Coordinates of all heavy atoms in Angstrom, one line a residue:
M1 N 102.5 -34.1 43.9 CA 103.0 -33.9 42.6 C 104.5 -34.1 42.5 O 105.1 -33.3 43.4 CB 102.4 -32.5 41.9 CG 103.1 -32.2 40.8 SD 102.5 -30.8 39.8 CE 101.6 -29.9 41.1
P2 N 105.2 -34.8 41.8 CA 106.6 -35.1 41.8 C 107.3 -33.7 41.5 O 106.9 -32.9 40.7 CB 106.9 -36.2 40.8 CG 105.5 -36.7 40.3 CD 104.5 -35.7 40.8
L3 N 108.5 -33.6 42.1 CA 109.3 -32.5 41.7 C 109.6 -32.4 40.2 O 109.9 -33.4 39.6 CB 110.7 -32.7 42.4 CG 111.6 -31.3 42.3 CD1 110.9 -30.1 43.0 CD2 112.9 -31.7 43.1
G4 N 109.5 -31.3 39.6 CA 109.7 -31.1 38.2 C 108.5 -31.4 37.3 O 108.5 -31.3 36.1
S5 N 107.3 -31.8 37.9 CA 106.2 -32.1 37.2 C 105.5 -30.8 36.6 O 105.6 -29.7 37.3 CB 105.1 -32.8 38.0 OG 104.0 -33.0 37.4
T6 N 105.0 -30.8 35.5 CA 104.4 -29.5 35.0 C 102.9 -29.6 34.9 O 102.2 -29.1 34.1 CB 104.8 -29.3 33.4 OG1 104.7 -30.4 32.8 CG2 106.3 -29.0 33.6
E7 N 102.2 -30.5 35.8 CA 100.9 -30.6 35.8 C 100.3 -29.5 36.6 O 100.8 -29.1 37.8 CB 100.4 -31.9 36.5 CG 99.0 -32.1 36.6 CD 98.5 -33.4 37.2 OE1 99.4 -34.4 37.3 OE2 97.5 -33.5 37.7
Y8 N 99.4 -28.5 36.1 CA 99.0 -27.4 36.8 C 97.5 -27.7 37.2 O 96.8 -28.3 36.3 CB 99.1 -26.1 36.0 CG 100.5 -25.9 35.7 CD1 100.9 -26.1 34.4 CD2 101.4 -25.5 36.7 CE1 102.4 -26.0 34.0 CE2 102.7 -25.1 36.3 CZ 103.2 -25.5 35.1 OH 104.5 -25.1 34.7
H9 N 97.0 -27.2 38.3 CA 95.7 -27.6 38.8 C 94.6 -26.6 38.5 O 93.5 -26.8 38.6 CB 95.6 -27.9 40.3 CG 96.6 -29.2 40.5 ND1 96.1 -30.4 40.3 CD2 97.7 -29.3 41.1 CE1 97.1 -31.3 40.7 NE2 98.1 -30.5 41.2
S10 N 95.0 -25.3 38.1 CA 94.0 -24.3 37.8 C 94.1 -24.0 36.3 O 95.1 -24.1 35.7 CB 94.3 -23.1 38.6 OG 95.5 -22.3 38.2
D11 N 92.9 -23.6 35.9 CA 92.8 -23.1 34.5 C 93.7 -22.1 34.1 O 94.4 -21.9 33.0 CB 91.4 -22.8 34.1 CG 90.5 -24.1 34.0 OD1 91.0 -25.1 33.8 OD2 89.2 -23.7 34.1
W12 N 93.9 -21.1 35.1 CA 94.7 -19.9 35.0 C 96.3 -20.4 34.8 O 96.9 -19.9 33.8 CB 94.6 -19.1 36.1 CG 95.6 -17.9 36.1 CD1 95.3 -16.7 35.5 CD2 96.8 -17.8 36.7 NE1 96.5 -16.0 35.6 CE2 97.4 -16.6 36.4 CE3 97.6 -18.8 37.5 CZ2 98.7 -16.1 36.8 CZ3 98.9 -18.4 37.8 CH2 99.4 -17.1 37.6
A13 N 96.7 -21.3 35.5 CA 98.1 -21.8 35.5 C 98.2 -22.5 34.3 O 99.3 -22.3 33.6 CB 98.4 -22.6 36.7
R14 N 97.2 -23.3 33.8 CA 97.5 -24.1 32.6 C 97.6 -23.1 31.5 O 98.4 -23.3 30.4 CB 96.4 -25.1 32.5 CG 96.5 -26.3 33.2 CD 95.5 -27.4 32.8 NE 94.1 -27.1 33.2 CZ 93.6 -27.3 34.4 NH1 94.3 -27.9 35.4 NH2 92.3 -26.9 34.6
N15 N 96.9 -22.1 31.4 CA 96.8 -21.1 30.3 C 98.1 -20.4 30.2 O 98.8 -20.3 29.2 CB 95.6 -20.3 30.3 CG 94.2 -20.8 30.0 OD1 94.2 -21.9 29.2 ND2 93.2 -20.3 30.5
I16 N 98.5 -19.8 31.5 CA 99.6 -18.9 31.5 C 101.0 -19.8 31.0 O 101.7 -19.4 30.3 CB 99.9 -18.3 32.9 CG1 98.7 -17.4 33.2 CG2 101.2 -17.6 33.0 CD1 98.7 -16.2 32.2
F17 N 101.1 -20.9 31.6 CA 102.3 -21.7 31.6 C 102.2 -22.4 30.2 O 103.2 -22.7 29.5 CB 102.5 -22.7 32.7 CG 102.9 -21.9 33.9 CD1 102.0 -21.8 35.0 CD2 104.2 -21.2 34.0 CE1 102.4 -21.1 36.2 CE2 104.5 -20.5 35.2 CZ 103.6 -20.5 36.3
G18 N 101.0 -22.8 29.8 CA 100.9 -23.4 28.5 C 101.3 -22.6 27.3 O 102.0 -22.9 26.4
E19 N 100.8 -21.3 27.5 CA 101.3 -20.4 26.4 C 102.8 -20.2 26.3 O 103.4 -20.0 25.3 CB 100.6 -19.0 26.7 CG 99.0 -19.1 26.5 CD 98.3 -17.6 26.9 OE1 99.0 -16.7 27.1 OE2 97.1 -17.8 26.9
G20 N 103.4 -20.1 27.6 CA 104.8 -19.9 27.6 C 105.5 -21.0 27.0 O 106.6 -20.8 26.3
K21 N 105.0 -22.2 27.2 CA 105.7 -23.4 26.6 C 105.5 -23.4 25.0 O 106.4 -23.7 24.3 CB 104.9 -24.7 27.1 CG 105.6 -26.1 26.7 CD 105.0 -27.2 27.4 CE 105.6 -28.4 27.1 NZ 105.0 -29.7 27.8
A22 N 104.4 -23.0 24.5 CA 104.1 -22.9 23.0 C 105.0 -21.8 22.5 O 105.7 -21.9 21.5 CB 102.6 -22.6 22.8
E23 N 105.1 -20.6 23.2 CA 106.1 -19.6 22.8 C 107.4 -20.1 22.6 O 108.2 -19.7 21.7 CB 105.9 -18.4 23.9 CG 106.7 -17.3 23.4 CD 106.1 -16.3 22.6 OE1 104.8 -16.4 22.3 OE2 106.8 -15.2 22.2
G24 N 107.8 -20.8 23.7 CA 109.3 -21.4 23.6 C 109.5 -22.3 22.4 O 110.6 -22.4 21.8
K25 N 108.5 -23.2 22.1 CA 108.6 -24.1 21.0 C 108.7 -23.3 19.7 O 109.6 -23.6 18.8 CB 107.3 -25.0 20.9 CG 107.4 -26.1 21.9 CD 106.1 -27.1 21.7 CE 106.2 -28.2 22.6 NZ 105.0 -29.1 22.4
A26 N 108.0 -22.2 19.6 CA 108.0 -21.5 18.5 C 109.4 -20.7 18.2 O 110.0 -20.7 17.2 CB 106.9 -20.5 18.3
E27 N 109.9 -20.3 19.3 CA 111.2 -19.6 19.3 C 112.3 -20.6 18.9 O 113.1 -20.3 18.1 CB 111.5 -19.0 20.6 CG 110.7 -17.8 20.9 CD 111.0 -17.2 22.3 OE1 112.0 -17.7 23.0 OE2 110.2 -16.3 22.7
G28 N 112.3 -21.8 19.5 CA 113.1 -22.9 19.1 C 113.2 -23.3 17.7 O 114.1 -23.4 17.0
K29 N 112.0 -23.4 17.1 CA 111.8 -23.8 15.7 C 112.2 -22.7 14.9 O 113.0 -22.9 13.9 CB 110.3 -24.1 15.4 CG 109.9 -25.4 15.9 CD 108.4 -25.6 15.5 CE 108.0 -26.9 16.3 NZ 107.7 -28.0 15.3
A30 N 112.0 -21.3 15.1 CA 112.5 -20.2 14.4 C 114.0 -20.2 14.5 O 114.7 -20.0 13.5 CB 112.0 -18.9 15.0
E31 N 114.6 -20.5 15.5 CA 116.1 -20.6 15.7 C 116.7 -21.7 14.8 O 117.6 -21.6 14.2 CB 116.5 -20.8 17.0 CG 116.3 -19.4 17.9 CD 116.5 -19.6 19.5 OE1 117.0 -20.7 19.9 OE2 116.3 -18.7 20.1
A32 N 116.0 -22.8 14.8 CA 116.4 -24.0 13.9 C 116.3 -23.6 12.5 O 117.3 -24.0 11.7 CB 115.6 -25.2 14.4
I33 N 115.4 -23.0 12.1 CA 115.2 -22.6 10.7 C 116.4 -21.7 10.4 O 117.1 -21.8 9.3 CB 113.9 -22.0 10.4 CG1 112.7 -22.9 10.6 CG2 114.0 -21.3 9.0 CD1 111.4 -22.3 10.6
L34 N 116.7 -20.7 11.1 CA 117.8 -19.7 10.9 C 119.1 -20.4 10.8 O 120.0 -20.1 10.0 CB 117.7 -18.5 11.9 CG 116.6 -17.6 11.7 CD1 116.4 -16.7 12.9 CD2 116.3 -17.0 10.4
A35 N 119.3 -21.4 11.8 CA 120.5 -22.1 11.8 C 120.8 -23.0 10.6 O 121.9 -23.0 10.1 CB 120.6 -23.0 13.0
V36 N 119.7 -23.7 10.1 CA 119.7 -24.5 8.9 C 120.2 -23.7 7.7 O 121.0 -23.9 7.0 CB 118.5 -25.3 8.7 CG1 118.4 -25.9 7.4 CG2 118.3 -26.3 9.8
L37 N 119.5 -22.5 7.6 CA 119.6 -21.6 6.4 C 121.0 -21.2 6.4 O 121.8 -21.1 5.6 CB 118.6 -20.6 6.4 CG 117.2 -21.0 6.1 CD1 116.3 -19.8 6.3 CD2 117.1 -21.5 4.7
T38 N 121.5 -20.7 7.6 CA 122.9 -20.2 7.8 C 123.9 -21.3 7.5 O 124.9 -21.1 6.7 CB 123.2 -19.7 9.3 OG1 122.2 -18.7 9.5 CG2 124.6 -19.2 9.3
S39 N 123.7 -22.5 7.9 CA 124.6 -23.5 7.8 C 124.7 -24.0 6.3 O 125.8 -24.4 5.7 CB 124.5 -24.7 8.5 OG 123.2 -25.3 8.2
R40 N 123.6 -23.8 5.6 CA 123.6 -24.1 4.2 C 124.0 -22.9 3.2 O 124.0 -22.9 2.0 CB 122.2 -24.5 3.7 CG 121.7 -25.7 4.5 CD 120.4 -26.4 4.0 NE 120.8 -26.9 2.7 CZ 120.4 -26.6 1.5 NH1 119.4 -25.5 1.5 NH2 120.7 -27.2 0.4
G41 N 124.3 -21.7 3.8 CA 124.7 -20.5 3.1 C 123.6 -19.8 2.4 O 123.9 -19.0 1.4
V42 N 122.3 -19.9 2.9 CA 121.2 -19.3 2.3 C 121.0 -18.0 3.0 O 120.7 -17.9 4.2 CB 119.9 -20.2 2.4 CG1 118.7 -19.3 1.9 CG2 120.1 -21.5 1.8
G43 N 121.2 -16.8 2.3 CA 121.0 -15.5 2.9 C 119.6 -15.1 3.0 O 118.7 -15.5 2.1
L44 N 119.3 -14.3 3.9 CA 118.0 -13.9 4.2 C 118.1 -12.4 4.2 O 119.0 -11.9 4.8 CB 117.2 -14.4 5.4 CG 116.8 -15.9 5.6 CD1 116.3 -16.2 7.0 CD2 115.7 -16.1 4.5
S45 N 116.9 -11.7 3.8 CA 116.8 -10.3 4.1 C 116.5 -10.1 5.6 O 116.0 -11.0 6.3 CB 115.6 -9.8 3.1 OG 114.3 -10.3 3.6
D46 N 116.5 -8.8 6.0 CA 116.2 -8.5 7.3 C 114.8 -8.8 7.5 O 114.3 -9.3 8.6 CB 116.5 -7.0 7.5 CG 117.9 -6.7 7.7 OD1 118.7 -7.6 7.9 OD2 118.2 -5.5 7.6
A47 N 113.9 -8.5 6.4 CA 112.4 -8.8 6.6 C 112.2 -10.2 6.7 O 111.4 -10.6 7.6 CB 111.7 -8.3 5.3
G48 N 113.0 -11.2 6.1 CA 112.8 -12.5 6.0 C 113.2 -13.0 7.4 O 112.5 -13.9 8.1
Q49 N 114.3 -12.6 8.0 CA 114.7 -13.0 9.4 C 113.7 -12.5 10.3 O 113.4 -13.3 11.2 CB 116.0 -12.3 9.7 CG 117.2 -12.9 8.9 CD 118.5 -12.2 9.3 OE1 118.6 -11.4 10.1 NE2 119.6 -12.7 8.4
T50 N 113.2 -11.3 10.3 CA 112.1 -10.8 11.1 C 110.8 -11.8 11.0 O 110.2 -12.0 12.1 CB 111.9 -9.4 10.9 OG1 112.9 -8.6 11.0 CG2 110.6 -8.9 11.8
R51 N 110.6 -12.1 9.8 CA 109.4 -12.9 9.6 C 109.4 -14.2 10.3 O 108.5 -14.7 10.9 CB 109.1 -13.1 8.0 CG 107.8 -13.9 7.8 CD 107.8 -13.9 6.2 NE 106.5 -14.5 5.8 CZ 106.3 -15.0 4.6 NH1 107.1 -14.6 3.6 NH2 105.1 -15.6 4.3
I52 N 110.6 -14.8 10.2 CA 110.9 -16.1 10.9 C 110.8 -15.9 12.4 O 110.1 -16.6 13.2 CB 112.0 -16.8 10.4 CG1 112.0 -17.1 8.9 CG2 112.5 -18.0 11.2 CD1 113.3 -17.6 8.2
S53 N 111.6 -15.1 12.9 CA 111.8 -14.9 14.3 C 110.5 -14.4 15.0 O 110.2 -14.8 16.1 CB 112.9 -13.9 14.5 OG 114.1 -14.2 14.1
G54 N 109.6 -13.7 14.3 CA 108.4 -13.2 14.9 C 107.2 -14.2 14.8 O 106.1 -14.0 15.3
C55 N 107.5 -15.3 14.0 CA 106.2 -16.1 13.7 C 106.1 -17.0 15.1 O 106.9 -17.6 15.6 CB 106.5 -17.1 12.6 SG 105.2 -18.2 12.0
R56 N 104.8 -17.3 15.3 CA 104.4 -18.2 16.4 C 103.5 -19.3 16.0 O 102.9 -19.9 16.9 CB 103.7 -17.2 17.6 CG 104.7 -16.3 18.1 CD 105.9 -17.0 18.9 NE 107.0 -16.1 19.3 CZ 108.1 -16.0 18.8 NH1 108.3 -16.6 17.6 NH2 109.0 -15.2 19.3
D57 N 103.3 -19.3 14.7 CA 102.4 -20.5 14.1 C 103.3 -21.7 14.0 O 104.1 -21.8 13.1 CB 102.0 -20.0 12.8 CG 101.0 -21.0 12.0 OD1 101.2 -22.2 12.3 OD2 100.1 -20.6 11.3
L58 N 103.1 -22.8 14.8 CA 103.9 -23.8 14.9 C 103.8 -24.7 13.6 O 104.8 -25.2 13.1 CB 103.6 -24.8 16.1 CG 103.9 -24.0 17.4 CD1 103.5 -25.1 18.5 CD2 105.4 -24.0 17.6
E59 N 102.7 -24.7 13.0 CA 102.5 -25.4 11.7 C 103.2 -24.9 10.7 O 104.0 -25.5 9.8 CB 101.1 -25.7 11.3 CG 100.4 -26.6 12.3 CD 98.9 -26.7 11.8 OE1 98.5 -26.4 10.5 OE2 98.0 -27.0 12.7
L60 N 103.2 -23.5 10.6 CA 104.0 -22.7 9.5 C 105.5 -22.9 9.7 O 106.3 -23.1 8.8 CB 103.5 -21.2 9.6 CG 104.1 -20.4 8.5 CD1 104.0 -20.9 7.0 CD2 103.6 -18.9 8.5
L61 N 105.9 -22.8 11.0 CA 107.4 -22.9 11.2 C 107.8 -24.4 10.8 O 108.9 -24.5 10.3 CB 107.6 -22.7 12.8 CG 107.5 -21.2 13.1 CD1 107.3 -21.1 14.7 CD2 108.6 -20.5 12.6
D62 N 106.9 -25.3 11.1 CA 107.3 -26.8 10.7 C 107.6 -26.9 9.2 O 108.4 -27.4 8.7 CB 106.3 -27.7 11.1 CG 106.3 -28.2 12.7 OD1 107.5 -28.0 13.2 OD2 105.4 -28.6 13.1
R63 N 106.5 -26.2 8.3 CA 106.7 -26.1 6.9 C 107.9 -25.4 6.5 O 108.6 -26.0 5.6 CB 105.4 -25.5 6.4 CG 105.3 -25.5 4.9 CD 104.0 -24.9 4.5 NE 102.9 -24.9 5.4 CZ 102.0 -24.0 5.7 NH1 102.1 -22.9 4.9 NH2 101.1 -24.0 6.6
W64 N 108.2 -24.3 7.1 CA 109.5 -23.6 6.8 C 110.7 -24.4 7.1 O 111.7 -24.4 6.4 CB 109.5 -22.2 7.4 CG 108.6 -21.2 6.9 CD1 107.8 -21.3 5.7 CD2 108.1 -19.9 7.5 NE1 107.1 -20.2 5.6 CE2 107.3 -19.3 6.8 CE3 108.5 -19.5 8.8 CZ2 106.8 -18.2 7.0 CZ3 107.9 -18.3 9.1 CH2 107.0 -17.5 8.2
L65 N 110.7 -25.2 8.2 CA 111.8 -26.0 8.6 C 112.1 -27.1 7.6 O 113.2 -27.3 7.2 CB 111.7 -26.5 9.9 CG 112.8 -27.3 10.5 CD1 114.1 -26.6 10.7 CD2 112.5 -27.8 12.0
R66 N 111.0 -27.7 7.1 CA 111.2 -28.7 6.0 C 111.7 -28.1 4.8 O 112.6 -28.6 4.2 CB 109.9 -29.4 5.8 CG 109.5 -30.4 7.0 CD 108.3 -31.2 6.6 NE 107.1 -30.5 6.3 CZ 106.2 -30.0 7.1 NH1 106.3 -30.3 8.4 NH2 105.2 -29.3 6.8
R67 N 111.1 -26.9 4.4 CA 111.7 -26.4 3.2 C 113.2 -25.8 3.4 O 113.8 -25.9 2.4 CB 110.8 -25.1 2.8 CG 109.3 -25.5 2.4 CD 108.6 -24.2 2.1 NE 107.3 -24.4 1.7 CZ 106.3 -23.6 1.6 NH1 106.7 -22.3 1.8 NH2 105.1 -23.8 1.2
A68 N 113.5 -25.4 4.5 CA 114.9 -24.9 4.7 C 116.0 -26.0 4.4 O 117.0 -25.7 4.0 CB 115.1 -24.4 6.1
L69 N 115.5 -27.3 4.5 CA 116.4 -28.3 4.4 C 116.9 -28.3 2.9 O 118.1 -28.8 2.6 CB 115.9 -29.6 4.9 CG 115.6 -29.8 6.4 CD1 114.8 -31.0 6.5 CD2 116.9 -29.7 7.2
G70 N 116.1 -27.9 2.0 CA 116.5 -27.9 0.6 C 116.5 -26.6 -0.1 O 116.7 -26.5 -1.3
A71 N 116.2 -25.5 0.7 CA 116.1 -24.2 0.1 C 117.5 -23.7 -0.3 O 118.5 -23.9 0.2 CB 115.6 -23.3 1.1
T72 N 117.5 -22.9 -1.5 CA 118.7 -22.2 -1.9 C 118.4 -20.8 -2.0 O 119.5 -20.2 -2.3 CB 119.1 -22.8 -3.3 OG1 118.1 -22.6 -4.2 CG2 119.5 -24.3 -3.3
S73 N 117.3 -20.3 -1.6 CA 117.1 -19.0 -1.6 C 115.9 -18.7 -0.7 O 115.2 -19.6 -0.2 CB 116.6 -18.4 -3.1 OG 115.5 -18.9 -3.5
E74 N 115.7 -17.4 -0.5 CA 114.6 -17.0 0.5 C 113.2 -17.3 -0.1 O 112.3 -17.8 0.5 CB 114.6 -15.5 0.7 CG 113.7 -15.1 1.8 CD 114.0 -13.5 2.3 OE1 115.1 -13.0 2.3 OE2 113.0 -12.9 2.5
S75 N 113.2 -17.2 -1.5 CA 112.0 -17.4 -2.2 C 111.6 -19.0 -2.1 O 110.4 -19.3 -2.0 CB 112.0 -17.0 -3.6 OG 112.9 -17.6 -4.4
D76 N 112.6 -19.9 -2.0 CA 112.4 -21.3 -1.9 C 111.7 -21.4 -0.6 O 110.9 -22.4 -0.4 CB 113.7 -22.0 -1.9 CG 114.2 -22.2 -3.4 OD1 113.5 -21.9 -4.2 OD2 115.5 -22.5 -3.3
L77 N 112.2 -20.8 0.5 CA 111.7 -21.0 1.8 C 110.1 -20.6 1.9 O 109.3 -21.2 2.4 CB 112.6 -20.2 2.8 CG 112.1 -20.3 4.2 CD1 112.3 -21.9 4.8 CD2 112.8 -19.2 5.2
F78 N 110.0 -19.3 1.6 CA 108.6 -18.9 1.7 C 107.6 -19.2 0.6 O 106.5 -19.0 0.9 CB 108.7 -17.2 1.8 CG 109.5 -16.9 3.1 CD1 110.5 -15.9 3.0 CD2 109.0 -17.3 4.3 CE1 111.1 -15.5 4.1 CE2 109.8 -16.9 5.5 CZ 110.7 -16.0 5.3
G79 N 108.0 -19.6 -0.6 CA 107.2 -20.0 -1.6 C 106.2 -19.1 -1.9 O 106.5 -17.7 -2.1
N80 N 105.0 -19.6 -1.9 CA 103.8 -18.6 -2.4 C 103.3 -17.8 -1.2 O 102.0 -17.8 -0.9 CB 102.6 -19.6 -2.9 CG 103.1 -20.2 -4.1 OD1 103.9 -19.6 -5.0 ND2 102.4 -21.4 -4.3
G81 N 104.2 -17.2 -0.5 CA 103.8 -16.3 0.6 C 103.5 -17.0 1.9 O 103.2 -16.4 2.9
S82 N 103.8 -18.4 2.0 CA 103.7 -19.0 3.4 C 105.0 -19.9 3.7 O 105.9 -19.9 2.8 CB 102.5 -20.0 3.2 OG 102.7 -21.1 2.1

């Protein structure tokens, strides 16, 4: 296996490291959402910041990121509870 390759040969390793990779993607998307909102001057409540930072649903984070590009308020971002 080449140096730096992320191919794992056991199910255990694939599960452990795969979860870590997904967790990292979610954290990165959450940080991107917060950065976009901050740069646009959109304020968030502590609960809103916690909701974004704690989310690990990549599809939901993608939806929020798209909404963040045009949001002018927290309610624009979260819409109907999502």
